[in-house]
Amino acid sequence: MIRINRAARLIPLLFLAGFGLVAMGVPASQGGDAFVAGGRSTRPVDLPAAHAERAKVHGRQLAAALGMPGVSQRAERLDDRFEHRTYDEVTSLDATGHEVAIARFEPDGKVAMALVLGWHPGRGASIDRTAAEARAAGFVRAAGLSAAARPAVRASAGAGGWSIDFPRIVDGSPVRGDGLHVALWADGTFHGLSRMERPLAARPARPLVAGVARTSAETWARGRYGAAASDLRIGSVERTWVAPNDTFAPTGPDAPAETLRLAWVVRFDASGALADRLRSLEVWLDAGDGTVLGGDVAE
C-alpha cells in the first residue's frame, strides 16, 4: 500500500493502487517509531548533500532512459515505516517550477518507481497487446531492471492504455505483492513503472504438503467460526510468499511484516447465513509449521 504524506503526491496513488504498495521505507529497527494505523507512513530523514547530488544524477539518467520530462530536480530521503524501507525521491520540475515527474531509488541507486505526472494520453496510434508487452519489457531494461516471468497484460480501465505486471516468482511460488508494474498510454508512451522486491525468510526445510495445510485450515475455521464453519467451502489452496499481518490477531502490528514467509494460502468461500457477514476469506498458514500468519477477509 502507498502511504504518502503530501497532497502533491496523490497522483502516484492512482497509478500504483493496482500494484500494491511500492513506497520504500526503512526497517523499524533502524527507522525509529513503528507505523501506527491512522498516522503518516513517510517522513523525511537526513540526506547528505553528496547523496542528494548522486540521487539527482540517477534521476536525470533514468529520465533520459525512459523519456521523462523535467529540466531540474530536487531530492529528499524518505523513511516509510509501513513498508519498512527507505528511498531517495527525486522530483523533476519543468522550466516554470511545476512538478512533472517523480522517481524513487533505493539507497544503492536501484530504481523503485518512476512516474510521469499529469495527463498525457499520447498522440500516436494505439498499440496492441503484443506491442504493449514488448514496449513494457523495453522500459524495464532501460531502467536497469530485469523480469524473468511472463507478464500479465491488460487494458487500463478509465485512463486508456495498458497495464503490464511482471510477477516475482521464487522457488516456483509467487511472491504476493512483489514484482514489476509498467503503465503505458494507449500509444505506448511511458506513464509509470514500479518495483517491489522485499526480503524473504528461508524456505522451510520440510514444507507441509497441500493436504495437511487444507486439514489445518479446516480445523482453524471450526475453531474461529464454530457451527457457522459449515457454511465455508475451500475454494483454493496455493503456496505463496506472504507478508504476515494482523487480520486474525488485532493486537498485532498495524503494518505487514518486513520479511515475507512461504505459506499455504487457503481461500474459503462463504454460503448460507455466514454469507450475510462475509463473501470469502483467506487464512495463511506457515508452510513449515502450519501456524497462522494472517490472512484476508472480503465482506
Side-chain angles (χ1 to χ4, degrees), residues 186-256:
D187 66 349
T189 303
F190 178 79
H191 182 194
L193 176 151
S194 63
R195 179 185 65 86
M196 176 66 84
E197 188 173 317
R198 292 166 290 177
L200 306 178
R203 186 178 185 275
R206 305 176 74 175
L208 299 176
V209 298
V212 172
R214 184 186 186 100
T215 299
S216 297
E218 291 173 332
T219 300
W220 171 86
R222 288 193 296 270
R224 184 172 184 85
Y225 292 98
S230 61
D231 290 337
L232 291 173
R233 294 288 182 273
I234 291 181
S236 63
V237 180
E238 179 186 21
R239 194 163 63 184
T240 304
W241 296 91
V242 300
N245 62 30
D246 66 348
T247 296
F248 303 117
T251 59
D254 291 319

Side-chain angles (χ1 to χ4, degrees), residues 82-105:
F82 186 84
E83 291 292 346
H84 311 287
R85 288 182 173 85
T86 189
Y87 58 84
D88 293 337
E89 181 171 282
V90 178
T91 302
S92 294
L93 312 172
D94 64 14
T96 65
H98 290 100
E99 298 180 1
V100 292
I102 297 173
R104 291 177 178 174
F105 303 89

Side-chain angles (χ1 to χ4, degrees), residues 135-287:
R135 188 71 61 86
F139 284 126
V140 168
R141 291 191 297 270
L145 304 173
S146 61
R150 184 70 183 268
V153 182
R154 65 182 186 278
S156 299
W162 297 95
S163 178
I164 303 95
D165 292 304
F166 297 85
R168 183 186 180 197
I169 309 287
V170 177
D171 291 338
S173 297
V175 183
R176 183 170 289 194
D178 279 15
L180 286 162
H181 173 72
V182 179
L184 306 176
W185 295 108
D187 66 349
T189 303
F190 178 79
H191 182 194
L193 176 151
S194 63
R195 179 185 65 86
M196 176 66 84
E197 188 173 317
R198 292 166 290 177
L200 306 178
R203 186 178 185 275
R206 305 176 74 175
L208 299 176
V209 298
V212 172
R214 184 186 186 100
T215 299
S216 297
E218 291 173 332
T219 300
W220 171 86
R222 288 193 296 270
R224 184 172 184 85
Y225 292 98
S230 61
D231 290 337
L232 291 173
R233 294 288 182 273
I234 291 181
S236 63
V237 180
E238 179 186 21
R239 194 163 63 184
T240 304
W241 296 91
V242 300
N245 62 30
D246 66 348
T247 296
F248 303 117
T251 59
D254 291 319
E258 174 186 0
T259 301
L260 279 64
R261 291 164 63 179
L262 189 62
W264 284 104
V265 174
V266 182
R267 193 193 82 240
F268 290 93
D269 297 317
S271 61
L274 191 58
D276 293 334
R277 297 162 48 192
L278 58 87
R279 291 182 297 165
S280 64
L281 66 87
E282 289 182 351
V283 58
W284 304 342
L285 303 174
D286 186 280

Side-chain angles (χ1 to χ4, degrees), residues 1 21 37 44 124 129:
M1 176 184 296
L21 48 65
R129 183 179 299 270

Side-chain angles (χ1 to χ4, degrees), residues 32-43:
D33 300 335
F35 172 75
V36 177
R40 290 181 175 180
S41 172
T42 59
R43 59 185 176 184

